[in-house]
C-alpha cells in the first residue's frame, strides 16, 4: 500500500519536462516555489531546483524513482505528431499512460494533470467555438490523435475520489512560442524551399494558436484547483488564447516577422487535400525502399484549410482562467526568439 504524500507539498513531477511545453512548465513551477522531479527520455537542460530522471515512461520502475515524495504529476510527454508511427504512439500514449497511472497509484500521488489536445474532437471538418461536450472524433485524422483520445479517456476514467486520486485533462491547441521545435521551424523550412507561396482554400478559416505561457498557466490553475470537492475532477478543459485568428494570417505574421514573403496565391482545398493523400499513400508504399517526409501531409492540409477553434468558457468559469499573454505579444516574442531562422541568417 502506498504512503500518501503530504497534501499541499510543493514537490511535483513533470513527465516530458525536457520538451517544448514541459520546459516552459518546469520554469514556471520553479518561479512559483515548486521543486520539480523531471522525467524524460532525454535531458535537454539543467536548472537548480530540478532533479532529472532519464527513462522511458513505459518503464514503471524508472517512473517510481522519479515519483518518490511527489504529490502532483504533470504528464506532457508524447512522441512528435510528425513521426506518424502508429506502434510508437500506441506504446507511449496508450500503454505508457496506463503505466503512468499505475505508477502514480503505487507511489501515492494525489493529482495527475494530463496534457491532452483539442484535436481529440477534430475529424478534419470545421469546428467553430467547440465546447468540451463535443464527442471524441470517430474518425481521428491520424494515429497521433487516435492515441491522444485513448490517453485522455484513460486518465479521466482513473479519477477516483474515494482512493484520493484526482485527475484532469488540459486540451491546448496549436501551441507556439520560443523553443518550439515544430511550428516555426517547419514553416521556415517550407518557406526556404519555396513552398509557402500558396494559401490552401479561401484563407478565411479561423483557428486557435495558443501562446505557450497561457498553456502553462492553464495547467497550473488546473493543478491548484484539483480538490475532491471541485467540479473539475475527471474533466477536460480547453485552453486557448481566446483570440481565434485566420490560419493564413497567423502564418503570414510569423513569416513576414522573420523576413519571408507571405503566401499570396490560392489553391482549392480539395485539390491540395487529394494530392496530400496521394503523396501520403506513395510514401507509405515506398517506405521499405526510401524515406521521404512530405511537408504537406493530409493532417497539415486539413489543419490549414478548415476552421478549428474552441471555447475556453469552462476553464474561465471553473479555473478562473484568462490568457496572460495576448496573441500579438505572443507572436512578437516568438519571432524575436528565432534570430537564427530569419531570412538570410
Ligand atoms: N505542440 C502542440 O501544438 C500541441 C501539443 N500537445 C501536447 O502537449 C504535450 C507536449 O508537447 P510538446 O511540448 O509540443 O512536445 P515535445 O516533443 O517538445 O515534448 C515531449 C517530450 O516527451 C518526451 N518523450 C517522448 N516519448 C517519451 C517516453 N516514452 N518516455 C519519456 N519521455 C518521452 C520527448 O522526448 P523526444 O523529443 O526525444 O521524443 C519530449 O522531450 C504532448 O502531450 C502533446 O501531445 C497538445 C496540443 C498541441
Ligand atoms: C501548412 C503548413 C506547412 C504549415 C506549417 C505549420 C504546421 C507545422 C503547424 C500548423 C498547425 C500546427 C498544429 C500542430 C502541429 C504543427 C502544425 C501542423 C498540432 C498537430 C500539434 C499537436 C496537436 O495536438 C494539435 C496541433 C494542431 C496545430
Amino acid at each position: 500500500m502506498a504512503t500518501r504524500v503530504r497534501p499541499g507539498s510543493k514537490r511535483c513531477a513533470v513527465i516530458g519536462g525536457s520538451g517544448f511545453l514541459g520546459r516552459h512548465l518546469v520554469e514556471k513551477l520553479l518561479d512559483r516555489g515548486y521543486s520539480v522531479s523531471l522525467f524524460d527520455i532525454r535531458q535537454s537542460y539543467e536548472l537548480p531546483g530540478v532533479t532529472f530522471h532519464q527513462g522511458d515512461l513505459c518503464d514503471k520502475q524508472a517512473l517510481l524513482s522519479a515519483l518518490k515524495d511527489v504529490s502532483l504529476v504533470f504528464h506532457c510527454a508524447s512522441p512528435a505528431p510528425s513521426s506518424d508511427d502508429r506502434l510508437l504512439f500506441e506504446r507511449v500514449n496508450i500503454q505508457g499512460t496506463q503505466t503512468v497511472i499505475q505508477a502514480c497509484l503505487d507511489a501515492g500521488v494525489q493529482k495527475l494533470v494530463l496534457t491532452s489536445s483539442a484535436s481529440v474532437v477534430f475529424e478534419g471538418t470545421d469546428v467553430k467555438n467547440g465546447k468540451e461536450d463535443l464527442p471524441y472524433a470517430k474518425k481521428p485524422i491520424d494515429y497521433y490523435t487516435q492515441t491522444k483520445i485513448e490517453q485522455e479517456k484513460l486518465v479521466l476514467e482513473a479519477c477516483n475520489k474515494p482512493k484520493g486520486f484526482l485527475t484532469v485533462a488540459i486540451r491546448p491547441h496549436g501551441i507556439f512560442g520560443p523553443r518550439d521545435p515544430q511550428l516555426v521551424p517547419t514553416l521556415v523550412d517550407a518557406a526556404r524551399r519555396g513552398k509557402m507561396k500558396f494559401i490552401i482554400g479561401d484563407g478565411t478559416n479561423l483557428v486557435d494558436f495558443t501562446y505557450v505561457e497561457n498553456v502553462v498557466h492553464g495547467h497550473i490553475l488546473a493543478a491548484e484547483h484539483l480538490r475532491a470537492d471541485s467540479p473539475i475532477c475527471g474533466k477536460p478543459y480547453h485552453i486557448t488564447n481566446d483570440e481565434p485568428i485566420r490560419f493564413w494570417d497567423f502564418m503570414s505574421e510569423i513569416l513576414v516577422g522573420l523576413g519571408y514573403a507571405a503566401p499570396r496565391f490560392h489553391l482549392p482545398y480539395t485539390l491540395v487535400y487529394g494530392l496530400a493523400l496521394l503523396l501520403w499513400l506513395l510514401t507509405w508504399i515506398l517506405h521499405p525502399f526510401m524515406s521521404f517526409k512530405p511537408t504537406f501531409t493530409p493532417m497539415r492540409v486539413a489543419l490549414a484549410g478548415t476552421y478549428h477553434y474552441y471555447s475556453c468558457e469552462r476553464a474561465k468559469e471553473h479555473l478562473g482562467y484568462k490568457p496572460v499573454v495576448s496573441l500579438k505579444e505572443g507572436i512578437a516574442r516568438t519571432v524575436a526568439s528565432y534570430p537564427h531562422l530569419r531570412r538570410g541568417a
Side-chain angles (χ1 to χ4, degrees):
M1 179 63 196
T3 333
R4 277 168 61 88
V5 181
R6 181 173 56 84
S9 142
K10 283 213 129 182
R11 180 147 184 81
C12 65
V14 179
I15 303 173
S18 295
F20 163 50
L21 171 65
R23 180 167 175 184
H24 281 276
L25 178 60
V26 168
E27 288 170 351
K28 183 55 81 182
L29 287 165
L30 294 173
D31 279 357
R32 291 181 62 91
Y34 287 86
S35 69
V36 179
S37 170
L38 189 167
F39 185 90
D40 202 294
I41 207 152
R42 63 181 167 99
Q43 180 164 18
S44 59
Y45 61 97
E46 280 179 50
L47 277 176
V50 178
T51 325
F52 178 76
H53 299 261
Q54 185 160 15
D56 185 327
L57 60 83
C58 301
D59 174 353
K60 193 169 91 173
Q61 288 314 316
L63 273 173
L64 282 173
S65 66
L67 301 189
K68 200 166 173 297
D69 299 327
V70 160
S71 59
L72 162 65
V73 172
F74 296 92
H75 174 11
C76 56
S78 167
S82 57
S83 72
D84 203 31
D85 182 335
R86 182 168 63 88
L87 294 178
L88 179 68
F89 287 131
E90 285 174 355
R91 192 179 73 80
V92 177
N93 287 350
I94 305 179
Q95 288 128 37
T97 297
Q98 280 166 333
T99 309
V100 168
I101 294 169
Q102 199 48 57
C104 285
L105 291 169
D106 291 359
V109 167
Q110 289 138 31
K111 302 181 191 184
L112 172 61
V113 180
L114 171 73
T115 314
S116 178
S117 168
S119 292
V120 295
V121 301
F122 183 65
E123 290 191 326
T125 52
D126 294 345
V127 176
K128 297 181 180 176
N129 204 34
K131 304 206 170 42
E132 288 85 346
D133 57 4
L134 282 176
Y136 287 116
K138 284 191 194 67
K139 290 186 195 146
I141 49 170
D142 56 11
Y143 302 131
Y144 164 79
T145 314
Q146 193 177 323
T147 58
K148 291 297 283 184
I149 295 175
E150 295 311 316
Q151 176 191 54
E152 186 185 281
K153 288 183 185 166
L154 284 169
V155 168
L156 297 183
E157 283 164 11
C159 188
N160 188 327
K161 290 185 190 176
K163 272 196 189 163
F165 182 57
L166 307 178
T167 66
V168 64
I170 295 300
R171 291 179 177 174
H173 196 55
I175 312 175
F176 73 101
R179 302 193 297 251
D180 163 37
Q182 204 173 201
L183 197 154
V184 175
T186 308
L187 191 60
V188 167
D189 179 59
R192 284 180 172 168
R193 290 193 288 132
K195 292 183 175 179
M196 289 309 293
K197 294 189 169 48
F198 300 101
I199 293 171
I200 302 171
D202 67 6
T204 59
N205 54 309
L206 294 173
V207 167
D208 276 321
F209 286 101
T210 314
Y211 189 65
V212 63
E213 284 188 25
N214 294 325
V215 179
V216 165
H217 183 51
H219 279 71
I220 296 179
L221 283 174
E224 293 181 350
H225 280 75
L226 193 54
R227 287 184 302 267
D229 59 352
S230 122
I232 80 167
C233 300
K235 289 206 177 78
Y237 287 86
H238 292 155
I239 291 293
T240 72
N241 242 82
D242 207 19
E243 291 177 83
I245 178 171
R246 288 179 174 193
F247 181 94
W248 293 99
D249 285 353
F250 180 84
M251 294 299 148
S252 298
E253 284 195 38
I254 302 266
L255 285 172
V256 171
L258 289 169
Y260 302 89
R264 282 195 299 145
F265 309 107
H266 290 263
L267 285 176
Y269 174 73
T270 38
L271 173 77
V272 185
Y273 190 78
L275 287 175
L277 262 183
L278 211 65
L279 202 59
W280 181 81
L281 206 69
L282 258 177
T283 49
W284 186 78
I285 293 168
L286 295 177
H287 82 271
F289 313 106
M290 59 180 278
S291 101
F292 164 67
K293 284 212 160 189
T295 308
F296 291 91
T297 60
M299 185 265 272
R300 285 184 186 161
V301 173
L303 288 166
T306 57
Y307 286 74
H308 40 101
Y309 66 95
Y310 299 85
S311 160
C312 55
E313 283 310 308
R314 189 197 258 184
K316 288 183 188 165
E317 196 184 317
H318 291 177
L319 308 176
Y321 171 75
K322 187 172 174 285
V324 286
V325 179
S326 69
L327 202 57
K328 189 165 183 272
E329 175 63 19
I331 293 174
R333 289 191 201 176
T334 304
V335 166
S337 74
Y338 287 98
H340 54 292
L341 293 185
R342 293 192 79 80
R343 184 156 179 250

